[in-house]
Amino acid sequence: MNKTGWQPTASIQAMKQRARMLQSIRTFFAERNILEVETPVLSPSAITDPQLESFSVRFNQQEFYLQTSPEFYMKRLLAAGSGDIYQIAKVFRDDEHGRNHNPEFSILEWYRLGFDHHQLMDDVEQLLKIIFENKQLNVQRLSYQQAFINQLNIDPLSSDAIALKQCAGKNNIETPQGIDINDKDMWLDWLMLEKIAPGFAKDGFTFLYDYPASQASLARLDKNDSRKANRFELFYGELELANGFYELTDAREQAKRFENDNKIRLQRGQKLMPVDDLLIEALQAGLPECSGVALGLDRIMMLVMGVKHIKEVTGFGDEFAGG
């Protein structure tokens, strides 16, 4: 259509398709007796993950943060006895803006009590079949370790930063500007971007599971191999769609991880972030054994609609600079 500045970037067809998707999602969870919840967007604390940056605002001379995920609040609900819960939420990340990225976007986040991350992957796959209206989907599951062995013939769990740098050189992968050559996780992320993700099936979904322990985030470590974290990500081709954890319930360990995140942020010249002490208190009170996942709904909509730019599935997707 010929669009002028005030008009939406998404078609009316896309808006109707989104409404149908949201209705099918709510039906999926209602049939499983999973409670829909709503939590605050603004918080006095923020995520410490060095890979993410939060937007901040001021109120009454105090700094607050737009949430990158409703995870911390939802875990407080779980600790309070909510049972299985889900939320369709707007979240914000001060990240790049482009074809697959918007600083404001929609996610679906849910938690299942008594599930490990493999059972939660089953849950995600069942939901995908509903969203894609029972079309035949190409879905594979691959461990993080096996993906690196397959593509680069290197074990990411036992290799150090020097070995990963040498591996990059052998595979003609250039060293990016700004990388700390002694930072193993930087190398793992770079090799993932340059070689591993491009090797996934172009026309299908890939669950990549059991990440290195150094990238556990809020996931528990594997009980049989502490080098692994019980975490997974979902991709379509190279496009990341979801991030899931077999949730860590140890308050002391979680507090240590937050502290370590801030140490890494300091080393990288990033802003230190205020730790969510209320989440730690909730973990101390007792988080039930559970797994949780966040699924990017705008990117899912791009796949459903077969479009190439995120602004084609969000009502006003070019309101940001560079749109």
Side-chain angles (χ1 to χ4, degrees), residues 5-6 10 75 84 95 119 151 166 173 193 207 251 253 284 290:
W6 61 266
K75 285 183 174 176
D84 291 352
D95 201 349
Q119 291 170 300
Q151 292 293 331
Q166 292 172 344
I173 300 172
L193 179 68
F207 285 100
E253 172 62 22
Q284 290 170 340
C290 62

Side-chain angles (χ1 to χ4, degrees), residues 42-62:
L42 276 178
S43 173
S45 57
I47 193 164
T48 56
D49 189 335
Q51 305 299 324
L52 299 176
E53 294 295 346
S54 302
F55 285 103
S56 65
V57 299
R58 295 196 69 82
F59 175 69
N60 282 347
Q61 299 182 336
Q62 182 180 351

Side-chain angles (χ1 to χ4, degrees), residues 268-280:
R268 296 182 181 180
Q270 297 170 271
K271 179 181 178 180
L272 299 183
M273 303 307 287
V275 169
D276 192 333
D277 293 325
L278 294 178
L279 172 64
I280 300 301

